[in-house]
Amino acid sequence: MSSSSPSDSSAPAPSPLLTLPGAVAAEAPDEGVAAHYGDLFKEQRALADGTGFVDLSHRGVVTVSGADRLSWLHLLLTQHVEQLPPQQATEALILSANGHIEQALQLVDDGTTVWMHTEPGKQGELIAYLESMRFFYRVEIADLTDEVAVVHLPAGSIAEIPGSVRAVRETAHGRDLFLPRAELSAFAASHGPAIGVLAHEALRVEARRPRLGMETDHRTIPHEVGWIGSAVHLDKGCYRGQETVARVHNLGKPPRRLVFLHLDGSEVQLPVHGDAVRLAAQGLEGRQIGFITTSVRHYELGPIALALVKRNVDPEAELIVGPDATAAAQEVVVAP
């Protein structure tokens, strides 16, 4: 679980794409959009092949504009954004005073405004923190969640971007479009097939990318889940929680580490978020050495998962997960 309440801001209305044929509504934390549209593996293959799009309109959308926006955000975020070039995507965290992760932001500056999206329901908490830090800076903060929706085009997509799109965030994993919410249905009609968030999650797990509230809990620090480098810049000025980041980086000993798991495919049920991870040699009577963060069924790899385990767990050790003692072979994501 994340370090704050899972829904601290009003959720946008459910996506109109839930009325598309075959749409099955997603469960927490992705309520409001489709989990899939009838064929999970077909949707994963389409996404991997660079076709279709993912409806992420349940995510929070926040903007910061004004002459001081980048220099001001540079003081608050873990990422170096003071000279962030227009259209260059990045990601950043907001930490507590003790260095625990509170927000994970996907952002881009369009030359006049920083556009960011965050986990569903987290935009209210984000705006409250930003407003509390405005002081004399020339910035304007806005919650555009009810007006603008996020849709994701996969890497390799040649789909045309509508002229009405407010901003585009392009990374190695694809493009996030900030689209007027009123145009979601029209976008789906011209950019299909629509792909559910379960396929998006499967490819995220395959890529070993952490997600706030899934790979994090109330005490997670950036080093544990691999956000050093991609979301945390180690050579920048002060920000809240920097002391913890610097201390752990210099000592090289985060208390836990993210691992990728290949799960035994004979099990009918996938382990769920929070299920215990144990050493196979000790069985179900052994002490818990970690927990499942996200598990998915992948169209090529079969059942796979991410998990947080104690730092000193042997990377070669065979593991079991959940109450059914599902066998799991680990791959290193964050080195011990």
Side-chain angles (χ1 to χ4, degrees):
M1 297 297 180
S2 63
S3 58
S4 59
S5 61
S7 182
D8 61 353
S9 182
S10 298
S15 172
L17 305 192
L18 284 170
T19 63
L20 292 178
V24 175
E27 300 178 351
D30 292 319
E31 302 101 325
V33 296
H36 61 84
Y37 295 90
D39 192 331
L40 177 59
F41 290 159
K42 181 179 179 181
E43 292 171 34
Q44 288 184 30
R45 290 188 185 96
L47 201 59
D49 290 341
T51 59
F53 74 95
V54 184
D55 177 11
L56 299 178
S57 61
H58 60 318
R59 291 183 63 82
V61 175
V62 175
T63 61
V64 178
S65 56
D68 295 335
R69 67 191 184 283
L70 291 177
S71 58
W72 176 68
L73 285 171
H74 185 77
L75 300 173
L76 307 179
L77 306 182
T78 57
Q79 188 58 272
H80 196 300
V81 297
E82 191 169 25
Q83 284 93 36
L84 183 67
Q87 317 309 329
Q88 180 175 306
T90 190
E91 58 182 342
L93 309 176
I94 292 176
L95 307 180
S96 72
N98 293 323
H100 300 139
I101 301 168
E102 293 188 343
Q103 293 276 355
L105 311 176
Q106 312 299 315
L107 55 91
V108 66
D109 184 80
D110 67 6
T112 61
T113 301
V114 174
W115 291 80
M116 59 186 82
H117 63 85
T118 189
E119 288 295 324
K122 294 289 285 183
Q123 65 269 22
E125 177 190 333
L126 171 61
I127 288 174
Y129 174 66
L130 295 178
E131 289 285 1
S132 74
M133 302 300 291
R134 280 182 63 175
F135 304 119
F136 54 85
Y137 291 94
R138 297 170 294 171
V139 295
E140 296 295 331
I141 305 157
D143 182 354
L144 297 187
T145 306
D146 289 336
E147 303 171 29
V148 177
V150 178
V151 295
H152 175 76
L153 295 175
S157 171
I158 59 173
E160 183 176 346
I161 297 176
S164 59
V165 164
R166 305 286 297 278
V168 178
R169 181 180 177 275
E170 184 169 3
T171 72
H173 303 290
R175 291 173 288 176
D176 295 339
L177 312 184
F178 292 85
L179 176 76
R181 187 170 291 274
E183 298 183 16
L184 269 172
S185 295
F187 183 89
S190 60
H191 289 74
I195 293 170
V197 291
L198 286 184
H200 190 254
E201 282 289 275
L203 270 61
R204 176 184 71 81
V205 172
E206 178 192 13
R208 284 78 162 162
R209 290 186 288 125
R211 179 179 176 185
L212 183 74
M214 299 302 292
E215 280 61 57
T216 69
D217 58 19
H218 66 284
R219 58 193 180 95
T220 304
I221 60 175
H223 313 69
E224 296 178 317
V225 294
W227 261 325
I228 297 296
S230 64
V232 178
H233 198 289
L234 294 172
D235 297 316
K236 60 162 287 188
C238 291
Y239 54 87
R240 191 173 68 175
Q242 185 194 25
E243 294 83 0
T244 298
V245 170
R247 181 172 65 253
V248 175
H249 177 69
N250 291 329
L251 293 175
K253 294 182 178 180
R256 301 176 297 182
R257 60 184 180 86
L258 189 68
V259 296
F260 178 87
L261 300 178
H262 292 273
L263 304 176
D264 179 2
S266 64
E267 296 292 339
V268 176
Q269 296 294 327
L270 285 173
V272 300
H273 178 81
D275 273 356
V277 177
R278 294 181 169 88
L279 295 172
Q282 298 179 2
L284 285 174
E285 300 303 315
R287 64 184 179 91
Q288 181 173 341
I289 51 89
F291 66 93
I292 292 291
T293 60
T294 307
S295 63
V296 297
R297 296 190 188 278
H298 190 274
Y299 74 104
E300 286 187 336
L301 300 176
I304 56 176
L306 294 173
L308 271 181
V309 301
K310 293 181 182 297
R311 179 189 71 241
N312 58 2
V313 173
D314 183 352
E316 302 299 324
E318 292 293 322
L319 308 176
I320 56 172
V321 302
D324 297 325
T326 301
Q330 58 173 313
E331 292 183 10
V332 172
V333 178
V334 174

